[in-house]
Short mmCIF file of all heavy atoms in Angstrom, two decimals:
data_model
loop_
_atom_site.label_atom_id
_atom_site.label_comp_id
_atom_site.label_asym_id
_atom_site.label_seq_id
_atom_site.Cartn_x
_atom_site.Cartn_y
_atom_site.Cartn_z
N THR A 96 0.50 2.20 -0.73
CA THR A 96 1.28 3.43 -0.80
C THR A 96 0.67 4.49 0.09
O THR A 96 -0.29 4.25 0.79
CB THR A 96 1.31 3.94 -2.25
OG1 THR A 96 -0.02 4.30 -2.62
CG2 THR A 96 1.87 2.90 -3.20
N ASP A 107 -16.89 17.06 11.89
CA ASP A 107 -18.20 17.67 11.95
C ASP A 107 -18.61 17.97 10.51
O ASP A 107 -17.94 17.56 9.59
CB ASP A 107 -18.22 18.92 12.84
CG ASP A 107 -17.33 20.04 12.34
OD1 ASP A 107 -17.16 20.19 11.10
OD2 ASP A 107 -16.80 20.78 13.16
N SER A 111 -12.79 17.64 8.32
CA SER A 111 -12.39 16.24 8.37
C SER A 111 -10.90 16.20 8.69
O SER A 111 -10.19 17.18 8.53
CB SER A 111 -12.69 15.52 7.05
OG SER A 111 -11.93 16.08 6.00
N VAL A 112 -10.46 15.04 9.17
CA VAL A 112 -9.07 14.86 9.57
C VAL A 112 -8.53 13.67 8.81
O VAL A 112 -9.12 12.59 8.83
CB VAL A 112 -8.96 14.62 11.09
CG1 VAL A 112 -7.53 14.38 11.50
CG2 VAL A 112 -9.57 15.78 11.87
N LEU A 117 -4.60 11.85 12.24
CA LEU A 117 -5.27 11.27 13.40
C LEU A 117 -4.48 10.11 13.99
O LEU A 117 -4.26 10.03 15.20
CB LEU A 117 -6.66 10.80 12.98
CG LEU A 117 -7.65 10.48 14.07
CD1 LEU A 117 -7.95 11.70 14.93
CD2 LEU A 117 -8.94 9.96 13.45
N PHE A 122 1.43 7.52 17.57
CA PHE A 122 0.24 6.83 18.09
C PHE A 122 0.30 5.35 17.72
O PHE A 122 0.07 4.48 18.56
CB PHE A 122 -1.03 7.47 17.51
CG PHE A 122 -2.30 6.79 17.96
CD1 PHE A 122 -2.94 7.19 19.11
CD2 PHE A 122 -2.85 5.75 17.22
CE1 PHE A 122 -4.12 6.56 19.53
CE2 PHE A 122 -4.01 5.11 17.62
CZ PHE A 122 -4.65 5.53 18.79
N GLU A 125 2.90 3.44 19.69
CA GLU A 125 2.53 3.28 21.10
C GLU A 125 1.47 2.20 21.30
O GLU A 125 1.50 1.46 22.28
CB GLU A 125 2.02 4.61 21.66
CG GLU A 125 1.60 4.53 23.11
CD GLU A 125 1.10 5.85 23.67
OE1 GLU A 125 1.31 6.90 23.05
OE2 GLU A 125 0.48 5.81 24.76
N SER A 130 4.45 0.70 12.60
CA SER A 130 5.02 2.04 12.67
C SER A 130 4.14 3.09 12.02
O SER A 130 4.34 4.28 12.23
CB SER A 130 6.41 2.07 12.02
OG SER A 130 6.31 1.70 10.66
N GLU A 137 -2.66 -2.53 5.64
CA GLU A 137 -2.15 -3.47 4.64
C GLU A 137 -2.01 -4.87 5.22
O GLU A 137 -2.45 -5.85 4.63
CB GLU A 137 -0.81 -2.99 4.11
CG GLU A 137 -0.24 -3.87 3.03
CD GLU A 137 1.08 -3.36 2.49
OE1 GLU A 137 1.35 -2.16 2.61
OE2 GLU A 137 1.85 -4.19 1.97
N GLY A 140 -5.15 -6.73 5.52
CA GLY A 140 -5.87 -7.02 4.29
C GLY A 140 -7.02 -6.05 4.03
O GLY A 140 -7.93 -6.36 3.27
N PHE A 141 -6.96 -4.89 4.67
CA PHE A 141 -8.03 -3.91 4.52
C PHE A 141 -7.63 -2.85 3.49
O PHE A 141 -6.56 -2.28 3.57
CB PHE A 141 -8.33 -3.22 5.85
CG PHE A 141 -8.81 -4.17 6.89
CD1 PHE A 141 -7.96 -4.59 7.90
CD2 PHE A 141 -10.10 -4.67 6.86
CE1 PHE A 141 -8.39 -5.47 8.88
CE2 PHE A 141 -10.54 -5.56 7.83
CZ PHE A 141 -9.69 -5.96 8.84
N ALA A 143 -8.05 0.74 2.23
CA ALA A 143 -8.52 2.00 2.78
C ALA A 143 -7.84 3.18 2.08
O ALA A 143 -7.39 4.11 2.72
CB ALA A 143 -8.28 2.04 4.28
N THR A 145 -9.30 5.24 -0.03
CA THR A 145 -10.24 6.36 -0.13
C THR A 145 -11.30 6.21 0.96
O THR A 145 -11.43 5.15 1.58
CB THR A 145 -10.94 6.38 -1.50
OG1 THR A 145 -11.78 5.22 -1.60
CG2 THR A 145 -9.94 6.43 -2.65
N ASN A 146 -12.08 7.25 1.16
CA ASN A 146 -13.19 7.16 2.11
C ASN A 146 -14.16 6.06 1.71
O ASN A 146 -14.67 5.33 2.57
CB ASN A 146 -13.94 8.49 2.20
CG ASN A 146 -13.17 9.54 2.95
OD1 ASN A 146 -12.21 9.24 3.66
ND2 ASN A 146 -13.56 10.78 2.77
N GLU A 150 -15.27 2.90 4.04
CA GLU A 150 -16.66 2.68 4.42
C GLU A 150 -17.14 1.27 4.09
O GLU A 150 -18.09 0.79 4.71
CB GLU A 150 -17.55 3.72 3.74
CG GLU A 150 -17.36 5.11 4.33
CD GLU A 150 -18.08 6.19 3.57
OE1 GLU A 150 -18.86 5.88 2.63
OE2 GLU A 150 -17.86 7.37 3.90
N ASP A 158 -12.79 -4.89 13.86
CA ASP A 158 -12.72 -5.02 15.32
C ASP A 158 -11.90 -6.25 15.73
O ASP A 158 -11.07 -6.17 16.64
CB ASP A 158 -14.12 -5.13 15.93
CG ASP A 158 -14.85 -3.81 16.01
OD1 ASP A 158 -14.21 -2.74 15.85
OD2 ASP A 158 -16.08 -3.83 16.23
N ALA A 159 -12.12 -7.36 15.06
CA ALA A 159 -11.36 -8.58 15.39
C ALA A 159 -9.87 -8.36 15.15
O ALA A 159 -9.05 -8.79 15.97
CB ALA A 159 -11.88 -9.75 14.55
N LYS A 163 -6.63 -8.16 18.04
CA LYS A 163 -5.40 -8.95 17.93
C LYS A 163 -4.15 -8.10 17.80
O LYS A 163 -3.08 -8.49 18.27
CB LYS A 163 -5.49 -9.90 16.72
CG LYS A 163 -6.47 -11.02 16.89
CD LYS A 163 -6.50 -11.88 15.65
CE LYS A 163 -7.56 -12.95 15.79
NZ LYS A 163 -7.70 -13.75 14.58
N LEU A 171 -14.01 1.59 17.25
CA LEU A 171 -14.55 2.81 17.85
C LEU A 171 -13.68 3.29 19.02
O LEU A 171 -13.47 4.49 19.19
CB LEU A 171 -16.00 2.61 18.29
CG LEU A 171 -17.01 2.50 17.16
CD1 LEU A 171 -18.41 2.27 17.71
CD2 LEU A 171 -16.98 3.73 16.27
N GLU A 180 -6.55 12.40 21.44
CA GLU A 180 -5.15 12.82 21.39
C GLU A 180 -4.95 13.91 20.34
O GLU A 180 -4.22 14.88 20.57
CB GLU A 180 -4.23 11.63 21.13
CG GLU A 180 -4.14 10.70 22.33
CD GLU A 180 -3.17 9.55 22.13
OE1 GLU A 180 -2.32 9.60 21.21
OE2 GLU A 180 -3.27 8.59 22.91
N GLU A 187 -3.22 22.30 22.49
CA GLU A 187 -1.89 22.66 23.00
C GLU A 187 -1.18 23.59 22.03
O GLU A 187 -0.50 24.51 22.44
CB GLU A 187 -1.05 21.42 23.26
CG GLU A 187 -1.38 20.72 24.56
CD GLU A 187 -1.12 21.59 25.77
OE1 GLU A 187 -0.05 22.22 25.86
OE2 GLU A 187 -2.01 21.65 26.63
N LYS A 189 -2.49 25.73 20.11
CA LYS A 189 -3.13 27.06 20.07
C LYS A 189 -2.79 27.90 21.30
O LYS A 189 -3.04 29.08 21.32
CB LYS A 189 -4.63 26.91 19.93
CG LYS A 189 -5.01 26.39 18.56
CD LYS A 189 -6.46 26.56 18.29
CE LYS A 189 -6.75 26.00 16.91
NZ LYS A 189 -7.51 26.88 16.11
#
Side-chain angles (χ1 to χ4, degrees):
T96 65
D107 63 32
S111 64
V112 178
L117 194 61
F122 178 90
E125 179 180 346
S130 60
E137 182 179 336
F141 298 103
T145 66
N146 286 344
E150 289 172 7
D158 284 345
K163 290 179 184 176
L171 289 179
E180 289 183 17
E187 281 297 314
K189 291 194 181 228

